[in-house]
Amino acid sequence: MSSSARTRMLRRAAAEIRPGMVVNLGIGLPTQVLAHVPANLPVCLHSENGIAGVGPVREGAAADRNLIDAGGAYVSTVPGASFCDSATSFAIVRGGRLDLTLLGAFEVAGNGDLANWIIPGQFTPGAGGAIELAQKARRVCVLTTHADKSGRSKIRKRCELPLTAPACVDRIVTDLAVCDVTAEGLVLTELADGVSVAQVLAATDADLIVPEGAIPTF
Amino acid sequence: MSSSARTRMLRRAAAEIRPGMVVNLGIGLPTQVLAHVPANLPVCLHSENGIAGVGPVREGAAADRNLIDAGGAYVSTVPGASFCDSATSFAIVRGGRLDLTLLGAFEVAGNGDLANWIIPGQFTPGAGGAIELAQKARRVCVLTTHADKSGRSKIRKRCELPLTAPACVDRIVTDLAVCDVTAEGLVLTELADGVSVAQVLAATDADLIVPEGAIPTF
Amino acid sequence: MRLPDKTATMEAAIAAIPDGATIMLGGFGVPGTPFCLIRELVRQGQKDLTIIKNDANETGMGVDWLLEAGQVARLIASHIGLNSRAVRMMNAGEIEVEFAAQGILAERIRCAGSGLLGFVTDIGLGTRMARGKTEVTVEGRTGLLETALFADFALVHADRADHFGNLCYAAAARNFNPLIAMAARRTIAEVETVLPLGALAPEEVHTPGPFVDQVIALPELPEVYGVVQR
Amino acid sequence: MRLPDKTATMEAAIAAIPDGATIMLGGFGVPGTPFCLIRELVRQGQKDLTIIKNDANETGMGVDWLLEAGQVARLIASHIGLNSRAVRMMNAGEIEVEFAAQGILAERIRCAGSGLLGFVTDIGLGTRMARGKTEVTVEGRTGLLETALFADFALVHADRADHFGNLCYAAAARNFNPLIAMAARRTIAEVETVLPLGALAPEEVHTPGPFVDQVIALPELPEVYGVVQR
């Protein structure tokens, strides 16, 4: 993936964040979306280790030893931030107060199934907060490269890995396209600039519904 | 009950409060025990509306509109007090952090059953915190006049009123005596000054075990 | 990024409440009761309400205004002994009253606010509080299943807040307020002092802003908030 | 009345922990981890411990010291991915690891601390996290029964405390600390600054003193508490 494709994907993901939302950015690619959120957007970033109102990353001498996000990065807070314990933090998630989460994926299926926490025999670190984020955020947007490093499509007919949560994903944003999980199936809704429908279809294992007419680009 | 008998009873009840304890004083007679607790005793008074470290009652201009105890009295706090929400306050009770509660009674039975919250058809205001205090304090001491206003014994073979909690009472302190609930039954352990064993037996509906030898007085 | 502004007017906030709504009210006695929001609810006159509150206040204040106006169909509480009208209306069948042990009421509200379905407790076993409840065995111990208690609206009284809805409560006025703030589809907070973002230290916030939908600054405190003279 | 004094020495507090004990540790990563209490536990060498903590810290700190010393038989956590030793020992069968979803772990600990038996949640339905769990239906909705998680000892790190054990936590160092402080038979707090009674405002206390048994003032903070340089 080129640097410009990566930036385009991150910018497109940032556009998922709407004014007034409480948002949790998962570890990995989603965290990088932060740099593309407009400075003046009214939004509250949540971190599951007990922060509402996460601000920009802090490095070196500016870091506070007691202030990390759930990914372990030293962060700051914005004015009006608050801290809470881990039970209250997940009450925000499970209680319906988290409007959006952006999550990474190992695999995501056309029916919205998500696998992003375990690769049996290879990667078994525990789920952390992923299960609750995936299952309970009001809106779940997966942000991932369309293919894994070996070129295998991450957008699958069915997930083969153990699920994080079934039927939880609303939208998938990749370096190639935006796809929405609908009652009819997975729908191609946007194309990355310079990418063709045929390229996306070739890169996607899941069945993909291509709407008639022009498809918007990002 | 004479004023001196009342004072004697309250003083005896105050002696149940030992150094280091977290204590909840129920509404009514138990609240009056406060005046008989030594000023320097290391103890934490809990109120179920979310106070750990209740201090003396405040009246008139000294009252804080936001600071009442569970009985509705304006109170103060001692240095080192804290406030918490109602769920946390009852976590202290149910979680085993409340060492002692002194509770009033309509009826208390020889097996430790307590009825102090409802008189069907007459008095049905709801249980408030009584059920959890009775069931979960590490030690439950009932403080009550031996007889009700009509002269009927409150210390019963069995409670006829609906129970607050079954088999929850450890000790009963009255104007006449102190009785302990034991595996063998209800045992007379102390007599009020000037009260005879015969008087206590006559005033008690429950079967009462009278130990051999001299019985201490209070 | 900056945090959203949730300040609102009392009239509009309460106007969103329809007839038949389930409403949680903060407060244990006077402290923490949202009297101004209740007064506005009386003025607007929504009917057939289910009210969830620790108590029914005393005669002549708070919940009693709603009872007097005939707006309440159902009351879920732990203790209503200080309100003789509530007791009389209950006994006359004019309102339906459901009692819960006080800490169980608190916990059922928090359970809803935490996105859980219910919990299992031994509180009430062997008493009439167990009637009609399902028994569940947990690792060999028997308990009663208590269900999460949700509301459409939570009306909260806070001492201090910021524009994002971070709330701080005074002394024993905290009580049920942080719990109901979590458990409603919409949480409306009346606030004695509204401060700019950043004026509350992040460590001192009692209810984090994400739980709160609307913040209403109280212009003045009516006498009912004061010390009750008996 | 005055509130009891709970200040204690670290050596005596940790010496009360027997072999085979179940110990909860605060902390999410570095912030809130009671490194000094863990170091003393390593020095005293109690064996066959069950450790309950969100994570296993990173290699070379905290939980990792206990793993390296062979003191851990069982670990209950939500995520151990930053500690390769923990993952290796789990895969080699040298320690038993039980995983819970992070918020469910927090809630199971709070459930014990609140004197409840368990709770019902739909979290994990349709995934392997549901394996072996009992299904319970609550008002027509199916959930999984999660059990209260108790410990013999909770080791907590606080920023400020008073002699009675009222605790305040700094920033994101709060995390699991207030929850584990509720859920153990004995709660031991190491504290950066111990203040006299009354120095903490009653409204700002995060963990009320009744939950805490022993308060240990840290004389100095070892480097491990600092910002991790990667």
Side-chain angles (χ1 to χ4, degrees):
Chain A
M1 182 171 47
S2 71
S3 160
S4 66
R6 181 187 196 84
T7 300
R8 187 179 299 117
M9 172 174 67
L10 293 173
R11 269 200 203 132
R12 177 59 192 84
E16 294 295 309
I17 303 175
R18 307 287 157 74
M21 280 184 164
V22 180
V23 180
N24 186 297
L25 301 176
I27 297 168
L29 272 181
T31 306
Q32 299 175 35
V33 169
L34 197 50
H36 301 276
V37 177
N40 208 32
L41 189 76
V43 64
C44 175
L45 289 186
H46 168 266
S47 184
E48 56 265 46
N49 58 327
I51 315 172
V54 178
V57 167
R58 289 281 178 257
E59 286 173 359
D64 176 343
R65 65 185 168 93
N66 289 311
L67 189 45
I68 62 172
D69 66 14
Y74 290 97
V75 293
S76 57
T77 54
V78 298
S82 64
F83 302 120
C84 62
D85 66 49
S86 294
T88 305
S89 184
F90 278 93
I92 291 173
V93 177
R94 289 189 312 262
R97 290 293 182 171
L98 185 66
D99 297 298
L100 172 69
T101 187
L102 298 182
L103 293 174
F106 296 153
E107 295 179 334
V108 53
N111 67 349
D113 286 358
L114 173 65
N116 75 349
W117 73 285
I118 190 169
I119 303 175
Q122 269 186 62
F123 180 77
T124 55
I131 292 175
E132 288 152 291
L133 290 171
Q135 194 176 330
K136 289 295 184 178
R138 289 193 175 275
R139 186 168 173 80
V140 175
C141 179
V142 161
L143 175 59
T144 179
T145 55
H146 214 92
D148 67 17
K149 282 171 187 168
S150 66
R152 178 177 181 270
S153 175
K154 287 184 160 197
I155 324 293
R156 314 294 303 171
K157 285 193 176 63
R158 279 190 190 75
C159 291
E160 287 160 33
L161 295 170
L163 295 188
T164 307
C168 62
V169 176
D170 296 291
R171 176 167 284 183
I172 307 167
V173 174
T174 77
D175 47 328
L176 301 185
V178 176
C179 303
D180 281 1
V181 178
T182 74
E184 287 70 42
L186 192 65
V187 178
L188 176 64
T189 51
E190 294 178 42
L191 289 166
D193 189 38
V195 173
S196 69
V197 170
Q199 277 177 287
V200 174
L201 288 173
T204 306
D205 176 70
D207 295 324
L208 198 56
I209 300 170
V210 181
E212 295 184 22
I215 296 175
T217 57
F218 65 92
Chain B
M1 181 172 46
S2 71
S3 160
S4 66
R6 182 187 196 83
T7 302
R8 188 179 298 115
M9 172 175 66
L10 294 173
R11 268 201 204 131
R12 177 60 191 84
E16 293 295 311
I17 303 174
R18 307 287 157 75
M21 279 184 164
V22 179
V23 180
N24 186 297
L25 301 176
I27 296 168
L29 271 182
T31 307
Q32 299 174 35
V33 169
L34 198 49
H36 301 275
V37 176
N40 208 31
L41 190 74
V43 64
C44 174
L45 289 186
H46 168 265
S47 184
E48 54 266 44
N49 58 329
I51 315 172
V54 178
V57 168
R58 290 279 180 260
E59 288 174 0
D64 175 344
R65 67 185 167 92
N66 289 312
L67 190 45
I68 61 172
D69 67 14
Y74 291 96
V75 294
S76 57
T77 54
V78 298
S82 63
F83 302 120
C84 62
D85 65 50
S86 294
T88 305
S89 183
F90 278 93
I92 291 174
V93 177
R94 290 189 311 263
R97 290 293 182 171
L98 185 66
D99 297 299
L100 172 70
T101 187
L102 298 182
L103 293 175
F106 297 153
E107 296 179 335
V108 54
N111 69 349
D113 286 359
L114 174 66
N116 77 348
W117 73 286
I118 192 169
I119 303 174
Q122 271 186 61
F123 180 79
T124 54
I131 292 175
E132 287 152 292
L133 290 171
Q135 194 175 329
K136 289 296 185 178
R138 289 194 173 275
R139 185 169 172 80
V140 175
C141 178
V142 160
L143 175 60
T144 180
T145 56
H146 214 91
D148 67 17
K149 282 169 187 168
S150 66
R152 178 177 182 272
S153 175
K154 288 184 159 196
I155 324 293
R156 314 295 302 172
K157 283 191 178 63
R158 279 190 190 75
C159 291
E160 287 160 34
L161 295 170
L163 296 188
T164 307
C168 62
V169 177
D170 296 291
R171 174 167 285 183
I172 307 167
V173 173
T174 78
D175 48 328
L176 301 185
V178 175
C179 303
D180 281 1
V181 178
T182 72
E184 286 70 42
L186 193 64
V187 178
L188 175 64
T189 50
E190 294 178 41
L191 289 166
D193 190 39
V195 174
S196 69
V197 170
Q199 278 176 288
V200 174
L201 288 173
T204 306
D205 175 70
D207 295 325
L208 198 56
I209 299 169
V210 181
E212 293 183 23
I215 296 176
T217 58
F218 65 90
Chain C
M1 291 164 298
R2 58 187 172 84
L3 294 175
D5 186 333
K6 300 176 183 173
T7 51
T9 69
M10 185 175 299
E11 187 172 352
I14 295 297
I17 301 179
D19 288 352
T22 296
I23 305 175
M24 288 176 178
L25 301 175
F28 186 115
V30 166
T33 300
F35 289 113
C36 287
L37 293 176
I38 296 172
R39 196 176 54 179
E40 178 64 17
L41 190 57
V42 171
R43 195 186 69 78
Q44 295 191 13
Q46 285 88 334
K47 301 285 183 213
D48 198 28
L49 303 174
T50 293
I51 298 293
I52 301 172
K53 186 184 188 292
N54 175 61
D55 53 82
N57 290 118
E58 302 177 34
T59 312
M61 59 172 69
V63 172
D64 194 54
W65 300 331
L66 293 165
L67 292 170
E68 188 179 20
Q71 294 174 265
V72 180
R74 189 150 176 266
L75 180 61
I76 302 176
S78 89
H79 195 281
I80 61 171
L82 292 178
N83 188 324
S84 57
R85 190 198 314 273
V87 173
R88 187 184 54 64
M89 289 178 79
M90 172 179 71
N91 290 336
E94 296 168 29
I95 56 170
E96 184 188 340
V97 177
E98 175 186 335
F99 286 120
Q102 193 168 104
I104 297 304
L105 179 63
E107 205 63 37
R108 288 181 65 196
I109 294 167
R110 185 194 171 277
C111 187
S114 301
L116 306 172
L117 302 180
F119 61 92
V120 183
T121 175
D122 59 359
I123 293 297
L125 276 180
T127 78
R128 60 165 60 188
M129 293 303 264
R131 285 185 190 167
K133 289 177 184 163
T134 305
E135 290 195 352
V136 176
T137 301
V138 183
E139 294 179 335
R141 293 177 63 195
T142 297
L144 302 169
L145 180 64
E146 297 281 355
T147 58
L149 196 54
F150 292 89
D152 299 312
F153 294 84
L155 308 187
V156 164
H157 178 87
D159 181 60
R160 305 181 305 290
D162 62 24
H163 296 146
F164 180 53
N166 290 305
L167 307 180
C168 295
Y169 309 98
R174 190 179 318 184
N175 55 67
F176 280 73
N177 278 301
L179 309 169
I180 68 168
M182 300 164 72
R185 284 194 300 109
R186 187 179 295 189
T187 293
I188 304 168
E190 57 162 59
V191 179
E192 299 193 18
T193 308
V194 177
L195 300 161
L197 290 178
L200 299 171
E203 268 107 352
E204 72 171 311
V205 170
H206 296 137
T207 291
F211 290 118
V212 178
D213 296 285
Q214 289 170 306
V215 174
I216 292 149
L218 294 178
E220 93 297 348
L221 281 191
E223 194 183 354
V224 65
Y225 288 91
V227 171
V228 179
Q229 304 296 346
R230 293 190 179 88
Chain D
M1 291 164 301
R2 58 186 172 84
L3 294 175
D5 187 333
K6 300 176 182 172
T7 50
T9 68
M10 186 174 300
E11 185 171 354
I14 295 298
I17 301 178
D19 287 352
T22 296
I23 305 175
M24 288 175 178
L25 301 175
F28 185 117
V30 166
T33 300
F35 289 112
C36 286
L37 292 175
I38 295 171
R39 198 177 51 178
E40 178 64 17
L41 190 57
V42 171
R43 197 187 67 79
Q44 295 191 13
Q46 286 88 336
K47 300 287 184 212
D48 199 27
L49 303 174
T50 293
I51 299 294
I52 301 172
K53 186 183 187 293
N54 175 63
D55 53 80
N57 290 118
E58 302 178 34
T59 312
M61 57 171 70
V63 172
D64 193 55
W65 300 332
L66 292 165
L67 292 170
E68 187 178 20
Q71 294 175 266
V72 181
R74 192 152 173 265
L75 179 61
I76 303 176
S78 89
H79 195 282
I80 61 170
L82 291 179
N83 188 324
S84 57
R85 190 198 313 273
V87 173
R88 189 184 53 67
M89 289 177 79
M90 170 178 72
N91 291 336
E94 295 168 30
I95 56 170
E96 184 189 339
V97 177
E98 177 186 334
F99 287 119
Q102 193 167 105
I104 297 304
L105 180 63
E107 205 62 36
R108 288 181 65 195
I109 293 168
R110 185 194 172 277
C111 187
S114 301
L116 306 172
L117 301 180
F119 61 92
V120 183
T121 176
D122 59 359
I123 294 296
L125 276 180
T127 77
R128 59 165 60 186
M129 293 302 265
R131 286 185 190 167
K133 290 177 184 162
T134 304
E135 290 195 354
V136 175
T137 302
V138 183
E139 294 179 336
R141 292 178 63 195
T142 297
L144 302 170
L145 180 64
E146 296 280 356
T147 57
L149 196 55
F150 293 90
D152 300 311
F153 294 84
L155 309 188
V156 164
H157 179 88
D159 181 59
R160 304 182 304 289
D162 63 23
H163 295 145
F164 180 53
N166 289 305
L167 306 181
C168 294
Y169 308 98
R174 190 179 318 183
N175 55 67
F176 280 74
N177 277 301
L179 309 169
I180 69 168
M182 301 165 72
R185 286 193 297 108
R186 186 178 296 187
T187 293
I188 304 168
E190 57 161 59
V191 179
E192 298 193 18
T193 308
V194 178
L195 299 160
L197 290 177
L200 298 172
E203 269 107 351
E204 73 171 310
V205 170
H206 296 138
T207 291
F211 289 118
V212 178
D213 297 284
Q214 289 170 306
V215 174
I216 292 151
L218 294 177
E220 93 296 348
L221 282 190
E223 193 183 353
V224 64
Y225 289 91
V227 170
V228 179
Q229 304 297 346
R230 292 192 180 88

